[in-house]
Amino acid sequence: MPFDSKGLDKFHEKLSNFERFCRGFIVETLSTDEKWWKQRIPDDIRNNALERKEHHEKSKTTSTSYDLIDFIDFGDITKIILSNKKYFKSIKNLDAFKVKMEDLGRYRNELAHSRELEQIEKEEKDSSLTKYFSCK
């Protein structure tokens, strides 16, 4: 089967950008203290990120250095924000945020595992991502 580059579309690019944006938003919001990672990131997320980073560094295929925040799962973004509600007051409706992030997470996983989305699903999620970027 030949490689089909159609799967590497604008929606996937927007989703990747959104994920990087969320990681940056977390760092920007929580890193007001030197010990923010240890104090404000749940233990399970910190431990998993550390394991992934260590594994990455052992099997390094690139000289690029990454921070621990780069090794959290997409679903961890929501967990971090919900466990630090007082710092994320700019998110007006945390319940709606959680639902949207879970929804986006399902579609992100479909793409990450090479499963194609229907065009209507891409358009709906693309619209959601555009709304997220315009809200901050």
Side-chain angles (χ1 to χ4, degrees):
M1 174 183 259
F3 177 70
D4 180 9
S5 64
K6 290 180 197 170
L8 303 174
D9 60 7
K10 288 285 186 192
F11 175 71
H12 186 265
E13 184 180 331
K14 278 187 177 182
L15 194 53
S16 294
N17 287 337
F18 177 70
E19 190 168 350
R20 281 190 295 278
F21 167 82
C22 288
R23 292 168 194 267
F25 181 50
I26 288 170
V27 172
E28 177 185 312
T29 303
L30 297 180
S31 67
T32 57
D33 181 306
E34 187 176 293
K35 297 179 183 180
W36 73 274
W37 180 257
K38 186 161 176 76
Q39 293 174 345
R40 297 182 182 149
I41 304 300
D43 291 342
D44 61 326
I45 295 172
R46 277 198 338 266
N47 293 335
N48 288 338
L50 182 58
E51 283 180 28
R52 287 186 189 114
K53 184 174 182 176
E54 288 172 348
H55 181 270
H56 173 77
E57 288 173 349
K58 285 179 186 172
S59 61
K60 211 173 214 187
T61 57
T62 178
S63 61
T64 305
S65 178
Y66 294 97
D67 295 321
L68 284 167
I69 194 75
D70 297 315
F71 293 92
I72 66 169
D73 287 334
F74 185 83
D76 293 339
I77 292 167
T78 304
K79 291 179 195 172
I80 291 168
I81 290 172
L82 293 177
S83 67
N84 290 279
K85 293 176 187 178
K86 69 179 181 180
Y87 299 103
F88 292 96
K89 291 180 180 164
S90 63
I91 301 173
K92 301 300 181 205
N93 185 338
L94 287 169
D95 292 332
F97 170 78
K98 181 181 177 191
V99 169
K100 285 288 189 184
M101 289 296 285
E102 288 171 351
D103 191 37
L104 284 173
R106 282 190 293 276
Y107 289 100
R108 180 212 174 268
N109 290 341
E110 291 294 312
L111 289 172
H113 297 283
S114 301
R115 294 184 291 260
E116 188 62 36
L117 296 177
E118 296 296 321
Q119 187 61 34
I120 189 88
E121 292 172 316
K122 286 181 188 177
E123 289 170 5
E124 288 172 2
K125 300 310 155 206
D126 185 52
S127 174
S128 291
L129 287 171
T130 301
K131 287 177 187 174
Y132 275 122
F133 278 122
S134 63
C135 287
K136 188 180 188 289

